[in-house]
């Protein structure tokens, strides 16, 4: 089953609201899609034509696509997706550079996976990450993902990881990102 009959869905975690995008998110969404640091491991920044389309098109309500916003003031800090592009439930996330390294990616993934296990009929979820994105691979492993296979996409080596939705999730209070993890990418 693709999606649920209930949409849009808002999900809360201790510090975040995972919600559909709104027009107030347009500038942050464009920045997220064009920032070279954010896009370093996501196939690169979008081209000029794609940016123009982002600026002109409505953000809309597409099933499985949310923004990550701070619970305290609703500031958009990133995005998270749970979709079926590969004919399997797939998790993807991106944060603006100034919000990385604070546990928001882990917190949002835990909240969304917890929602998915109760709202969807899927038994497992996959995620794809570039092998050189050591920080994301480390986070996915701490979230219980294991490597299914390696593949090449966008001209680079990737890992396709998977996890059962039936397996317990880490607690929010458990520190998943530590000083021992690789640092986030920085501007060059």
């Amino acid at each position: 089953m693709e999606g649920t009959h209930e949409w849009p869905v808002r999900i809360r975690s201790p510090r975040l609201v995972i919600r559909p995008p709104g027009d107030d998110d347009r500038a942050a969404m464009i920045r997220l899609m064009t920032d070279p640091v954010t896009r370093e491991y996501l196939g690169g920044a979008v081209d000029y034509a794609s940016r123009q389309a982002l600026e002109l098109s409505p953000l809309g309500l597409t099933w499985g696509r949310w923004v990550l916003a701070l619970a305290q003031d609703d500031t958009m800090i990133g995005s998270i997706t749970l979709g079926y592009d590969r004919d399997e439930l797939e998790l993807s996330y991106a944060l603006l550079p100034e919000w990385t390294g604070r546990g928001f990616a882990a917190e949002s993934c835990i909240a969304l996976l917890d929602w998915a296990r109760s709202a969807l009929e899927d038994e497992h979820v996959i995620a794809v990450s570039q092998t050189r994105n050591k920080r994301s691979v480390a986070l996915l492993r701490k979230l219980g993902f294991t490597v299914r296979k390696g593949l090449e996409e966008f001209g680079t080596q990737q890992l396709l990881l998977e996890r059962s939705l039936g397996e317990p999730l880490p607690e929010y209070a458990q520190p998943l990102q530590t000083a021992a993890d690789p640092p986030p990418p920085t501007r060059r």
Side-chain angles (χ1 to χ4, degrees):
M1 176 173 103
E2 183 167 325
T4 65
H5 298 290
E6 297 177 30
W7 190 257
V9 174
R10 293 175 67 92
I11 302 164
R12 294 192 67 87
S13 67
R15 300 179 296 163
L16 297 170
V17 175
I18 301 170
R19 60 168 174 75
D23 282 335
D24 290 346
D25 301 316
R26 184 173 308 283
M29 187 65 75
I30 290 169
R31 185 166 160 243
L32 184 69
M33 296 301 294
T34 59
D35 183 85
V37 173
T38 303
R39 302 293 302 173
E40 168 122 15
Y41 301 118
L42 300 172
V46 297
D47 60 25
Y48 179 77
S50 297
R51 181 187 171 117
Q52 290 297 102
L54 276 171
E55 290 175 355
L56 299 173
S57 65
L59 292 178
L61 295 177
T62 303
W63 189 91
R65 300 190 188 284
W66 292 272
V67 298
L68 303 176
L70 296 175
Q72 67 187 18
D73 64 6
D74 204 40
T75 298
M76 182 187 152
I77 65 167
S79 68
I80 194 163
T81 303
L82 201 56
Y84 293 92
D85 291 342
R86 297 172 197 268
D87 296 324
E88 295 182 83
L89 188 63
E90 182 176 349
L91 174 70
S92 179
Y93 51 87
L95 293 174
L96 289 165
E98 64 270 24
W99 297 102
T100 62
R102 301 185 198 187
F104 290 118
E107 183 176 322
S108 64
C109 288
I110 291 168
L112 192 56
L113 292 171
D114 187 48
W115 171 81
R117 57 196 295 184
S118 64
L120 305 178
E121 296 174 0
D122 301 81
E123 294 179 8
H124 73 276
V125 61
I126 62 170
V128 176
S129 180
Q130 286 188 18
T131 55
R132 63 188 190 94
N133 189 349
K134 295 181 183 344
R135 190 173 184 84
S136 185
V137 172
L139 173 59
L140 290 167
R141 287 182 185 267
K142 290 175 185 178
L143 289 169
F145 284 80
T146 58
V147 175
R148 181 194 294 172
K149 67 178 183 177
L151 57 125
E152 186 172 324
E153 284 185 338
F154 309 111
T156 188
Q157 292 298 309
Q158 310 272 346
L159 291 175
L160 189 148
L161 301 100
E162 67 183 338
R163 92 175 305 279
S164 165
L165 284 175
E167 294 294 318
L169 290 161
E171 298 293 324
Y172 288 119
Q174 179 182 345
L176 293 181
Q177 295 170 329
T178 67
D181 286 328
T186 56
R187 298 213 183 271
R188 296 175 200 257

